[in-house]
Amino acid sequence: MQKSVRYNEGHALYLAFLARKEGTKRGFLSKKAAEASRWHEKWFALYQNVLFYFEGEQSGRPAGMYLLEGCSCERTPAPPRTSAGPAGARDALDKQYYFTVLFGHEGQKPLELRCEEEQAGKEWMEAIHQASYADILIEREVLMQKYIHLVQIVETEKIAANQLRHQLEDQDTEIERLKSEIVALNKTKERMRPYHSHQEDEDPDIKKIKKVQSFMRGWLCRRKWKTIVQDYICSPHAESMRKRNQIVFAMVEAETEYVHQLYILVNGFLRPLRMAASSKKPPISHDDVSSIFLNSETIMFLHEIFHQGLKARLANWPTLVLADLFDILLPMLNIYQEFVRNHQYSLQVLANCKQNRDFDKLLKQYEANPACEGRMLETFLTYPMFQIPRYIITLHELLAHTPHEHVERKSLEFAKSKLEELSRVMHDEVSDTENIRKNLAIERMIVEGCDILLDTSQTFIRQGSLIQVPSVERGKLSKVRLGSLSLKKEGERQCFLFTKHFLICTRSSGGKLHLLKTGGVLSLIECTLIEEPDATDDDSKGSGHMFGHLDFKIVVEPPDAAPFTVVLLAPSRQEKAAWMSDISQCVDNIRCNGLMTIVFEENSKVTVPHMINKTLNSCKVPQIRYASVERLLERLTDLRFLSIDFLNTFLHTYRIFTTAAVVLAKLSDIYKRPFTSIPVRSLELFFAASPNNRGEHMVDGKSPRLCRKFSSPPPLAVSRTSSPVRARKLSLTSSLNSRIGALDLTTSSPSSSPTAHSPAASPPPHTSAVLESVPADRAGDSTELSPCRSPSTPRHLRYRQPGGQAADSPHCSVSPASAFAIATAAAGHGSPPGFNNTERTCDKEFIIRRTATNRVLNVLRHWVSKHAQDFELNNELKMNVLNLLEEVLRDPDLLPQERKATANILRALSQDDQDDIHLKLEDIIQMTDCPKAECFETLSAMELAEQITLLDHVVFRSIPYEEFLGQGWMKLDKNERAPYIMKTSQHFNEMSNLVASQIMNYADISSRANAIEKWVAVADICRCLHNYNGVLEITAALNRSAIYRLKKTWAKVSKQTKALMEKLQKTVSSEGRFKNLRETLKKNKNHSSWPCSCNPPAVPYLGMYLTDLAFIEEGTPNFTEEGLVNFSKMRMISHIIREIRQFQQTAYRIDQQPKVIQYLLDKALIIDEDTLYELSLKIEPRLPA
């Protein structure tokens, strides 16, 4: 240490203490003394950049310290040794490690050190080097050099900026000098003018005249512009624009009000009722809440978005552009169809819920909200019904005040046409609703009520007052006078005609209607209309003169009662003609529909009971929006509803919310235990409400109680034997009756009918066999009475001729469904042993079992035939279905039709895939192993288009519908989740690459232009073949940058080809979510026999459907917050999948050409994108800028 330096000894001792404890390097070193060449061993400790040395390792006070910052350390050779001393000592000294620490300060001597081992010496040198901060100092020096360099650059820039500033100042000075020279030159020029003109310019009168002229010119210009503006303000165009703006402002105000109404409906009623439904004692269920409000919440969200768009447009006033808003709104307005379709049903559910006092009290509390302004819930539910017509009126007014050359004219017209089309569909739904309201109004007027009016297929035709003529014994009309007051008073009837029934009522003094006890409800399928009385009846000959030919007769032949006749008198001949025409038309329609149903049932694999089928399909099936998995499975086998749309949707999408094993378990449970598995409300539909049935067969308390009867019995007997009178007998031909057996289920005797005639007097056109129920103890006697009985007919059922006597046979009350069971049992191959058909007639359990079996078989048939992939990929599921079907076949009570249907399903499920005649891409590739492929020049455009279409359809058809669920094509493992969709995308890219590569292979311009024209022709043929995927493959290739930039080549292409290509591109354009392509596909559907088949077939662009599915998947969740399945989303997905599968089902009738296909699938011809662009640049280099 230098003696002149003062330091804090305490601080130095503390640092020495830290060095002893935590030093970087510690150990013994030999230090060379300064005064002599002697070495002293000291104990050194290095702490940070300070090196302490002590006399010994145990010394507490340092002997000295060195600051190492800025020093350098280097090894020094060992000093020379004298020869004195032992040799071993000299060798030990030579092995020691010497190094020197050089300090950067002047006047400080270097520190010479040594250690015993070389490794220790190197470690000490490294530690001292780090403590000297040499690297940091070097880095600091570099930064300082950079800093000095930057300072020099800044100074240079400042000098340059100064020089530029001086140059600008000099230039400004030069500009001022030039200006002054110009002014001087102008003055000199003025002086050079003649003296008299200078005098004229300076004349004050001239100046005044000029001022007046300038003022007049300005005044005239302003007046002209004012006139122009005033003329425009008063012009029709300006008036139209003002009215157009007023219409837009009114539309925004109306939309604001409508959104506010929907907000009250959702937040004031829907959401509070949802919370109430989740309470401990709910006044209403979640299903009823969904049925009442339908999709009103979705409608509110849609119109909030539309309203925000309208307000954003007002911010850009006076430029009001609305067409794009309607383009966004139009595809979403289809949600109104669901609301309109189920609106009446929602009002009915609301009326039923109001019967609950707690709900009614809660609803009145909500309606008392000041925001409701005294309006009821029914009023808010009605507002969406008028929104679409309001839009149509608004667009009509907008178009009336929009010029024809306006930019929005076409878009607004398109929006108006789409809204009118949607309005027509909704009008049909509203018409059905009005029909229901009319039926319910009439049903409320009838005191006893009328169950048949609850059938929504009952359409009201006409009503009026008619006079019923009373009948007496032997079917003869009483000879009464038309003008008799008693006849008018007692015989006046209020009659109502519907599509299936004819009601006859009496009116009480209070205006209420009462159905006649006998003949009050006439089923038109059982009626025969006779315009004139029978000419062979002497008593009836004068009835025409007596009643003025105003009477007509309806002969009713019910299957479970004696025939009777109703004679009615019309007020006038015109009224009579109108009633006769309407009644005959209704009867004709019913019987023709029955004929078509029989014809179609013969071709069906599973035959649903006609009466059940007719009743189920006659009503509007309410659509499910949200439901639990259990509720969906219950709906799948609900006997009240038979919805093919629900069945398709369920089978397409059940994988999202359940498994196939659960579905099959539910079907098996329905078949084995129908009474415990089917809800009671579903069972109540299947029992007739006739008085006999109520009195005799509804005593059993185990069965569900009756609440509704069937609308009409099955038209199994479509023709009846009648007398040859001049009447409108609406019967079918004998060939039909011979084909279906002319089966009649009536049990009445002909002697009780007032219109019956003996066979000798009036021979029938053909013999009609009538089935009658006979007691089991008389089954043996029936053999002689029916010699024509088939051996397969059960013994207790016998045939009788129409004229035969069967009065001794007891009557049995037969419900329509029971009659169906008897008829199908008699038509089969005998009755199973141990089961009495007489018991079947009145056994409601038998009816329910058969109906449940039919429903299970119907679901299984649809599942096996339309979704065979489920069983191909799941062998366990297939075996379980086979076991269930075998168990059904072992049922002793199985009807012949059910047995046949079960066998057909078993056959379809057991057969191999050998009869699959559809080609697969792998098979095509194997079949195209020919030695030499064709070249592009030798192939015609027709051959290329046909084989491209064949390949595209084979690839498109191979996609299983399971891959469209869950957006598997967008996941990371897309090749495993959606391999066929990825294969379709790969095939699209390869075909597009082939087209581009083939064009770029030609070196000369003419060959490339010819290739482009040929590929455009191929694309046009693909369009004619409805292969829009192929059209897009070719147009996408032609629009690639490598080909599109070849201006010289395109200049050689003909104008016709360019126009054709533009047309093709417009067809497959992605604008408006492929609007043009969707319209084209829709036209193809309308001109074919869709939805059953597509003739001719088509290949749509798959990306269009994938975009729709992605939009649905991302926009709506699969489950609600309550855990319910979003079945509305499932229905949308199913509709898209169904449309895809319709295109997949029908194959092209195109012969395979191996050479052409080998050319199309040859990957050696394909050039990658980068190489294509390089070739394009070589063919036509970029022009210099």
Side-chain angles (χ1 to χ4, degrees):
M1 296 182 201
Q2 296 181 6
K3 296 181 181 180
S4 61
V5 177
R6 293 184 180 183
Y7 68 97
N8 190 331
E9 186 176 2
H11 183 64
L13 292 175
Y14 177 72
L15 290 177
F17 174 76
L18 291 178
R20 289 179 59 83
K21 297 295 183 182
E22 304 174 1
T24 307
K25 184 68 177 175
R26 289 167 292 181
F28 283 98
L29 292 175
S30 296
K31 175 178 176 295
K32 187 177 182 180
E35 63 276 2
S37 300
R38 291 168 44 180
W39 295 86
H40 302 283
E41 189 177 21
K42 306 288 183 180
W43 193 83
F44 283 80
L46 178 63
Y47 180 75
Q48 292 182 359
N49 62 339
V50 182
L51 180 65
F52 295 92
Y53 62 93
F54 302 83
E55 293 296 334
E57 186 177 0
Q58 303 299 328
S59 300
R61 185 180 185 86
M65 57 182 287
Y66 292 96
L67 294 175
L68 300 179
E69 183 174 354
C71 71
S72 61
C73 184
E74 58 184 20
R75 184 177 179 179
T76 57
R81 300 294 176 184
T82 61
S83 60
R90 286 197 304 269
D91 294 340
L93 291 174
D94 291 339
K95 292 180 180 179
Q96 290 181 346
Y97 191 85
Y98 294 84
F99 58 93
T100 304
V101 179
L102 301 175
F103 299 95
H105 311 291
E106 295 181 358
Q108 188 171 0
K109 296 181 179 180
L111 175 63
E112 297 183 16
L113 300 172
R114 74 179 180 186
C115 60
E116 300 298 330
E117 298 178 357
E118 183 179 358
Q119 182 64 28
K122 292 181 179 180
E123 291 178 358
W124 273 104
M125 287 183 65
E126 179 66 23
I128 293 173
H129 178 73
Q130 291 180 1
S132 66
Y133 302 143
D135 296 337
I136 297 177
L137 292 175
I138 293 172
E139 186 176 355
R140 175 179 175 275
E141 190 67 26
V142 171
L143 291 176
M144 284 299 298
Q145 293 294 333
K146 291 182 179 179
Y147 171 73
I148 294 171
H149 179 66
L150 291 176
V151 169
Q152 292 175 353
I153 292 174
V154 170
E155 291 297 329
T156 304
E157 293 294 330
K158 285 183 179 179
I159 294 172
N162 235 350
Q163 293 175 354
L164 290 174
R165 192 179 299 111
H166 289 308
Q167 290 178 6
L168 290 175
E169 290 176 355
D170 295 342
Q171 290 177 358
D172 290 340
T173 305
E174 183 68 17
I175 290 172
E176 292 296 331
R177 186 183 65 78
L178 293 175
K179 284 183 179 180
S180 60
E181 289 182 2
I182 291 173
V183 170
L185 289 174
N186 289 334
K187 289 181 179 179
T188 304
K189 188 176 180 181
E190 290 292 333
R191 293 194 198 98
M192 292 174 65
R193 288 184 180 181
Y195 178 77
H196 59 86
S197 45
H198 180 71
Q199 290 293 327
E200 289 178 357
D201 292 340
E202 297 296 328
D203 193 351
D205 294 333
I206 298 299
K207 288 184 178 181
K208 292 180 181 178
I209 292 173
K210 287 183 177 181
K211 286 184 179 180
V212 172
Q213 288 177 345
S214 176
F215 174 79
M216 290 299 297
R217 281 196 300 268
W219 180 78
L220 288 174
C221 184
R222 288 191 297 271
R223 182 177 179 182
K224 183 177 180 181
W225 276 110
K226 183 178 180 180
T227 304
I228 292 173
V229 171
Q230 288 179 347
D231 291 343
Y232 176 76
I233 292 174
C234 300
S235 66
H237 184 272
E239 185 68 19
S240 295
M241 291 297 102
R242 282 195 297 273
K243 290 183 178 179
R244 188 176 189 273
N245 291 339
Q246 292 175 1
I247 293 169
V248 174
F249 297 150
M251 182 178 71
V252 174
E253 292 177 0
E255 191 70 21
T256 304
E257 178 65 21
Y258 181 56
V259 171
H260 180 65
Q261 292 165 353
L262 292 175
Y263 179 83
I264 296 174
L265 175 64
V266 173
N267 292 279
F269 293 96
L270 171 57
R271 291 173 179 169
L273 286 177
R274 279 182 181 169
M275 296 177 62
S278 301
S279 61
K280 292 184 178 179
K281 295 181 179 180
I284 186 173
S285 65
H286 282 286
D287 288 343
D288 289 339
V289 172
S290 299
S291 300
I292 291 172
F293 293 93
L294 303 173
N295 55 350
S296 55
E297 192 170 13
T298 307
I299 294 175
M300 184 191 73
F301 293 151
L302 171 63
H303 285 277
E304 282 180 345
I305 297 172
F306 183 64
H307 183 239
Q308 293 294 332
L310 285 177
K311 291 197 297 185
R313 294 299 186 273
L314 286 182
N316 297 327
W317 191 87
T319 303
L320 294 177
V321 181
L322 304 175
D324 56 341
L325 282 179
F326 278 101
D327 289 341
I328 299 173
L329 181 67
L330 281 175
M332 310 297 180
L333 289 180
N334 290 329
I335 60 176
Y336 275 92
Q337 291 184 355
E338 180 181 349
F339 190 93
V340 172
R341 184 185 302 112
N342 299 300
H343 177 65
Q344 183 61 32
Y345 176 74
S346 71
L347 295 180
Q348 291 177 0
V349 173
L350 178 60
N352 293 335
C353 292
K354 280 188 174 182
Q355 303 300 323
N356 185 351
R357 293 182 179 179
D358 295 336
F359 174 80
D360 188 54
K361 181 180 178 181
L362 183 64
L363 184 62
K364 288 181 179 178
Q365 179 182 347
Y366 294 156
E367 291 174 348
N369 190 341
C372 296
E373 299 177 352
R375 292 170 290 184
M376 300 176 65
L377 176 57
E378 290 86 345
T379 305
F380 287 99
L381 290 173
T382 310
Y383 285 136
M385 300 287 290
F386 306 103
Q387 191 62 19
I388 300 297
R390 184 181 300 166
Y391 282 146
I392 294 175
I393 294 173
T394 302
L395 287 176
H396 183 76
E397 294 175 350
L398 272 177
L399 287 171
H401 300 291
T402 301
H404 289 279
E405 66 274 8
H406 198 277
V407 67
E408 287 189 291
R409 180 79 185 186
K410 291 184 179 180
S411 299
L412 293 177
E413 287 176 347
F414 176 78
K416 179 172 173 288
S417 64
K418 288 297 182 182
L419 284 174
E420 288 175 347
E421 181 180 348
L422 179 62
S423 178
R424 283 193 292 270
V425 176
M426 294 175 60
H427 176 72
D428 296 337
E429 301 288 350
V430 173
S431 300
D432 294 343
T433 305
E434 293 297 328
N435 176 63
I436 294 173
R437 290 179 180 175
K438 180 67 175 178
N439 291 0
L440 292 177
I442 297 174
E443 198 268 343
R444 284 193 292 267
M445 291 170 59
I446 299 174
V447 177
E448 299 85 357
C450 188
D451 293 340
I452 62 129
L453 296 181
L454 302 179
D455 185 357
T456 54
S457 65
Q458 292 279 6
T459 304
F460 174 78
I461 304 299
R462 65 181 296 116
Q463 74 179 64
S465 296
L466 297 174
I467 297 175
Q468 183 179 7
V469 178
S471 59
V472 294
E473 296 179 357
R474 299 181 183 87
K476 296 182 180 179
L477 299 177
S478 60
K479 295 182 179 180
V480 295
R481 294 184 179 180
L482 180 60
S484 173
L485 293 177
S486 61
L487 179 60
K488 284 187 175 181
K489 183 177 180 181
E490 298 175 3
E492 185 175 1
R493 304 285 185 261
Q494 190 71 20
C495 299
F496 300 90
L497 176 63
F498 296 88
T499 51
K500 295 181 180 179
H501 288 81
F502 186 76
L503 305 185
I504 303 177
C505 305
T506 59
R507 188 182 294 275
S508 62
S509 58
K512 292 290 185 178
L513 299 178
H514 297 269
L515 284 172
L516 294 181
K517 294 182 179 180
T518 304
V521 180
L522 305 181
S523 179
L524 295 180
I525 191 61
E526 303 166 355
C527 298
T528 302
L529 181 64
I530 302 176
E531 183 177 3
E532 297 292 347
D534 193 355
T536 62
D537 194 340
D538 295 336
D539 295 329
S540 299
K541 287 180 180 179
S543 64
H545 301 287
M546 183 190 311
F547 299 133
H549 297 284
L550 299 177
D551 58 328
F552 58 96
K553 182 166 58 175
I554 300 177
V555 180
V556 185
E557 297 175 342
D560 53 353
F564 60 94
T565 303
V566 177
V567 180
L568 299 171
L569 300 179
S572 63
R573 291 198 175 189
Q574 291 79 7
E575 284 286 322
K576 174 188 173 181
W579 277 101
M580 291 287 296
S581 175
D582 291 338
I583 294 174
S584 61
Q585 185 65 37
C586 290
V587 176
D588 197 9
N589 289 341
I590 291 176
R591 292 187 175 175
C592 287
N593 290 338
L595 170 63
M596 295 305 296
T597 304
I598 292 171
V599 172
F600 284 120
E601 283 185 352
E602 289 182 354
N603 298 325
S604 177
K605 292 184 178 181
V606 177
T607 304
V608 180
H610 180 84
M611 189 58 239
I612 297 168
N613 188 22
K614 192 170 186 179
T615 304
L616 294 178
N617 289 330
S618 66
C619 58
K620 295 286 184 183
V621 180
Q623 289 190 347
I624 293 179
R625 296 183 64 240
Y626 308 104
S628 62
V629 177
E630 293 77 12
R631 182 68 185 91
L632 292 175
L633 291 172
E634 179 184 318
R635 176 66 177 274
L636 182 67
T637 53
D638 198 329
L639 304 182
R640 297 172 298 166
F641 306 115
L642 182 59
S643 173
I644 300 300
D645 179 73
F646 175 82
L647 186 58
N648 282 326
T649 302
F650 185 90
L651 293 178
H652 275 137
T653 61
Y654 73 86
R655 295 165 189 78
I656 298 176
F657 50 85
T658 187
T659 61
V662 175
V663 178
L664 183 60
K666 180 66 175 178
L667 294 177
S668 178
D669 197 43
I670 290 292
Y671 168 71
K672 296 176 181 178
R673 293 177 293 276
F675 289 94
T676 58
S677 303
I678 301 175
V680 175
R681 61 182 179 273
S682 178
L683 295 176
E684 292 176 349
L685 179 67
F686 293 91
F687 302 103
S690 62
N692 293 336
N693 286 344
R694 285 177 182 154
E696 296 177 17
H697 310 301
M698 289 294 115
V699 183
D700 187 7
K702 298 180 181 179
S703 300
R705 188 176 178 182
L706 242 166
C707 68
R708 180 177 174 182
K709 59 185 174 183
F710 294 102
S711 58
S712 63
L716 294 174
V718 295
S719 175
R720 303 181 187 275
T721 307
S722 59
S723 58
V725 296
R726 187 173 63 85
R728 295 185 180 179
K729 291 281 189 173
L730 299 177
S731 61
L732 298 173
T733 61
S734 58
S735 61
L736 167 67
N737 292 327
S738 63
R739 181 168 56 83
I740 65 173
L743 187 62
D744 192 349
L745 299 180
T746 59
T747 60
S748 60
S749 79
S751 62
S752 62
S753 175
T755 60
H757 298 272
S758 63
S762 58
H766 61 277
T767 302
S768 176
V770 181
L771 184 66
E772 185 179 21
S773 178
V774 186
D777 56 357
R778 299 195 56 186
D781 300 336
S782 65
T783 306
E784 299 178 357
L785 297 175
S786 57
C788 60
R789 180 174 61 87
S790 170
S792 62
T793 305
R795 297 197 53 173
H796 58 279
L797 297 174
R798 66 180 177 85
Y799 284 89
R800 63 175 174 82
Q801 300 297 328
Q805 298 294 329
D808 55 344
S809 62
H811 295 288
C812 180
S813 178
V814 183
S815 67
S818 301
F820 169 79
I822 298 170
T824 52
H829 300 286
S831 174
F835 196 91
N836 192 307
N837 278 348
T838 306
E839 297 175 2
R840 289 185 182 180
T841 306
C842 305
D843 188 0
K844 59 179 177 293
E845 293 186 5
F846 175 76
I847 300 169
I848 294 299
R849 288 185 183 278
R850 299 279 60 81
T851 308
T853 303
N854 271 305
R855 175 55 64 88
V856 171
L857 291 177
N858 190 24
V859 174
L860 287 176
R861 176 186 65 84
H862 202 87
W863 197 358
V864 170
S865 60
K866 300 296 180 62
H867 306 271
Q869 301 96 332
D870 295 0
F871 305 96
E872 295 172 2
L873 303 176
N874 191 344
N875 191 50
E876 182 181 358
L877 174 65
K878 181 178 180 180
M879 296 307 299
N880 290 337
V881 174
L882 289 173
N883 295 335
L884 176 61
L885 292 173
E886 291 172 358
E887 183 178 353
V888 173
L889 283 177
R890 291 193 294 269
D891 186 1
D893 299 335
L894 201 65
L895 297 179
Q897 284 82 354
E898 297 170 347
R899 191 175 300 276
K900 181 180 178 182
T902 307
N904 288 337
I905 299 174
L906 268 172
R907 190 181 305 110
L909 192 59
S910 303
Q911 67 183 359
D912 298 330
D913 302 333
Q914 308 162 13
D915 30 345
D916 185 10
I917 60 174
H918 295 310
L919 289 172
K920 295 182 180 179
L921 186 61
E922 293 78 7
D923 301 334
I924 293 178
I925 294 175
Q926 293 177 0
M927 296 167 61
T928 55
D929 293 336
C930 51
K932 184 179 180 181
E934 295 284 344
C935 60
F936 179 71
E937 293 80 4
T938 60
L939 298 176
S940 66
M942 179 63 73
E943 291 175 336
L944 288 171
E946 287 183 347
Q947 299 307 306
I948 288 174
T949 301
L950 179 62
L951 288 175
D952 287 349
H953 191 267
V954 168
V955 175
F956 177 72
R957 188 181 56 215
S958 64
I959 305 174
Y961 66 90
E962 295 90 346
E963 293 190 7
F964 295 113
L965 302 176
Q967 291 182 279
W969 64 91
M970 299 177 66
K971 307 298 182 183
L972 294 177
D973 54 344
K974 54 188 175 182
N975 291 322
E976 289 76 21
R977 298 183 61 174
Y980 288 94
I981 291 180
M982 301 312 299
K983 186 181 295 184
T984 304
S985 176
Q986 180 185 356
H987 175 73
F988 182 96
N989 294 333
E990 289 176 353
M991 293 302 299
S992 184
N993 289 337
L994 176 65
V995 174
S997 302
Q998 186 62 55
I999 295 173
M1000 297 302 297
N1001 276 334
Y1002 294 105
D1004 57 314
I1005 296 178
S1006 301
S1007 299
R1008 287 196 300 274
N1010 293 335
I1012 290 175
E1013 292 182 350
K1014 186 173 182 178
W1015 280 119
V1016 172
V1018 172
D1020 190 45
I1021 298 173
C1022 288
R1023 179 189 61 82
C1024 297
L1025 293 173
H1026 297 165
N1027 178 15
Y1028 300 102
N1029 186 74
V1031 174
L1032 196 54
E1033 288 171 349
I1034 297 173
T1035 55
L1038 296 178
N1039 282 321
R1040 288 191 174 189
S1041 58
I1043 297 177
Y1044 186 77
R1045 61 175 299 276
L1046 301 177
K1047 297 182 180 180
K1048 297 179 181 179
T1049 304
W1050 284 103
K1052 289 284 186 178
V1053 178
S1054 63
K1055 294 182 179 179
Q1056 294 83 356
T1057 302
K1058 291 180 181 178
L1060 179 58
M1061 182 180 172
E1062 185 177 354
K1063 178 182 176 183
L1064 295 174
Q1065 287 177 339
K1066 186 177 180 181
T1067 302
V1068 296
S1069 172
S1070 61
E1071 294 181 359
R1073 295 175 58 245
F1074 296 94
K1075 179 176 68 174
N1076 296 333
L1077 181 56
R1078 294 179 194 273
E1079 291 292 334
T1080 306
L1081 290 172
K1082 185 177 180 181
K1083 291 177 182 178
N1084 291 339
K1085 288 187 191 178
N1086 295 336
H1087 289 86
S1088 63
S1089 56
W1090 280 58
C1092 299
S1093 63
C1094 178
N1095 187 19
V1099 185
Y1101 175 54
L1102 183 62
M1104 176 179 66
Y1105 296 111
L1106 297 182
T1107 304
D1108 295 343
L1109 290 171
F1111 179 78
I1112 295 172
E1113 290 283 359
E1114 295 173 359
T1116 52
N1118 292 331
F1119 299 91
T1120 63
E1121 295 179 356
E1122 296 83 6
L1124 301 179
V1125 178
N1126 187 354
F1127 205 70
S1128 295
K1129 175 183 177 179
M1130 305 301 145
R1131 190 176 294 109
M1132 291 188 288
I1133 293 175
S1134 175
H1135 287 174
I1136 295 175
I1137 294 177
R1138 239 182 299 172
E1139 185 171 350
I1140 294 174
R1141 295 191 70 189
Q1142 285 172 343
F1143 285 117
Q1144 289 177 329
Q1145 287 171 357
T1146 306
Y1148 281 89
R1149 297 179 179 179
I1150 297 176
D1151 294 332
Q1152 181 185 350
Q1153 299 184 23
K1155 291 186 179 181
V1156 182
I1157 290 180
Q1158 186 179 8
Y1159 163 75
L1160 294 174
L1161 298 180
D1162 190 359
K1163 295 184 180 181
L1165 301 175
I1166 297 177
I1167 305 174
D1168 62 276
E1169 186 70 25
D1170 296 336
T1171 309
L1172 278 177
Y1173 199 78
E1174 291 175 2
L1175 285 175
S1176 178
L1177 292 177
K1178 289 180 181 179
I1179 292 171
E1180 290 188 21
R1182 288 194 183 99
L1183 296 176

